[in-house]
Amino acid sequence: MGKAQSKEAAPAALEQPTLGAEQSAPQAAQEPLVPSPADTTSNGGGGGGGCPMKKGNGGGGLGAMFGRRNPHLPGKDGSPGLPTTGAPQHESSGGGCPVKAGGNKTQAYNVYSQPIDPTNQMPAVANQLPAPSQTETLSTERVESTIPKGGTAGTWTYPSPQMFYNSLARKQKLGDTTEEDIAPVVALHNNMNEKTWAKVLEWESVLSPPAGDGDEGPKLLKFLGRPSDLSPKAMFKNWILGHPLPFDRHDWTVIRPDGTEVRYVIDYYHDETRAKETEGSGMPDMHDRDAVESILVDVRPALDSPSELLGRVAIMPYARRVANVTPFTPLPMAPTSAMKDQLGESIKVWDSIQENARRNKAAGKEADKPKVLTVARDDDDGDADIKVSAKEATELAQSFASALKGCQQAQRTLDACKDDEECARASLALTVCMGKIMCPLQHGALAKSLAAEPTDAKGEAEYNARLDAALENIAVCVASSTERASIAKRTHPEAFA
C-alpha cells in the first residue's frame, strides 16, 4: 500500500484506531471505524471528574523534573543549551474546577465514549508528536468531517496521519506498517465514515424527518468499535443464508434534536471482486461515496425499542417501496454468487479477529509477568522474537559509535554527578545528546516543543503536556535503539569490531 495507484480494497494489513476503517485489508480491521474529535485530550479525555492538573513552572513528569529552562536541553537551534524564553510562568490561583454546572446542554463525548467537559479540556497536542519508533515525518493536518458532533456546535474532526500512526504504535499493532502506508489509510478512513454517516442520515430522514427549517438535524454523539462481536443480523446471514462474515462492526449513537438517542449498528463487509486497481483508487476522495465499492456498509437502527423495530420492518420499507421518498437501499440479505465464493476467506478473517481479541486479553493479564525473548540473525531459521539483519547491525553500530563519540562530555558530566537531582539532569542531557544522533526525528520534535512560547495558563499547560510527551518519546527511542544495538552486537559482532 502507500501508493495512490493501488488496489483500493486490498492494501497492506493494518489495524485502525478511530472513526473510519483503515479498511486497507479486512483481515486487520480490528479497531473502531469512528471519528476523532479535535478537542480530545492526549490521554483519552476526561471522564473521571475533577480538574486537569495545571503544570506551572515546568509542569509534571519529565517537564517538571527538569524545568523549562534546563540548560542541558537543546535550544531552538538544536544546540545543547536552552536560552530562556521570558515567557511568564503561571500558578493555579485557587482550588476546585472553575466550571459552573448547569444548563440542559447535551453531554459531549470523546473518542473513547467517555463524557467530557469542553470548557476545561485541553486540546490534543501530545498525540501529534512523532512516535518513539518512527523514522519518517508524517502530516499532523486534521480534516473536518461533515458529521455534526453531539453536545457541540461543530463537527467531528478526523485524526491526522500522525495520530493514526501513534495509535497503532501505542497499541503495538504497527506490524510491518510503514509511514508510507498511513496516508492512504487515512483517506480510506475518512471516505468510509462519510459514507456511513450518509446512510445514517437516510434512515433519520425517514424515521425522524426535520420538524422545520430551524431543525439542525441529528448528530453523532458517541461510537463504539466492536470488531469481535457478531451482530444478530450478521449471524443470521452467515448461519442461515451462507453469507460471508463482516470484517468489522461499530455502534454509533445518534442524538436527535429532541434529545432522543438512537443506536445504529454498522457491519462492514468486503467484496474482493469489486476492488479497483486504477490511478488514485488508493487515495479516495472523502466525499465520493462510490470511490470504494469493495467495502459494503450495512447500516440500520439497533432493535433497542419497539419504535426502532417498527421503523425497520414497516416505516422504512413503506418509504422505499410505496412512497418512494428515500434513496436508501439496504444490502441484500442473501449473498451474491461472488460473495459466496468468499465465504471461506471471511471465516479466516473472523477467526483472526477472534484470535487477536483473545491475545490482547491474555496480554493484559500477562503484562506484569516477565517474558523471555529469543533473538537471531535474519538469515537464521526458526521463529525468533527479534531478528537483526547484517545491514541493520552495521547501521546501528555506526549510529551508536557516533553517539558515544559526540556525547563524551555529557557522559563525563553524568559520571561526575553528586546527587539525585544533578544526576537526573545529567542523565537527561546525555539522552537528549544521543537522541540527536540516534533519533533525529524525535529530537527535532523536542526542539520544536521547547521553542514554543506559551502566553497564558492554558498555553502553559499545553506546552508542558507536549514537552513531557516529547521528552518521553526521545527517551524511549534512545533506550530502544540502545537495546537494539546491544542485540545486534550479539548477533553480528563483526559489525561492531
Side-chain angles (χ1 to χ4, degrees), residues 22-91:
E22 291 171 8
Q23 287 11 317
S24 34
Q27 296 91 328
Q30 304 292 315
E31 299 293 324
L33 186 84
V34 285
S36 176
D39 57 358
T40 302
T41 61
S42 60
N43 65 356
C51 285
M53 182 184 297
K54 292 186 178 181
K55 302 181 180 180
N57 296 329
L62 290 173
M65 187 176 188
F66 303 105
R68 288 191 51 211
R69 293 188 173 86
N70 177 11
H72 297 293
L73 294 179
K76 296 181 180 181
D77 58 355
S79 59
L82 172 67
T84 57
T85 62
Q89 302 294 310
H90 298 273
E91 294 285 356

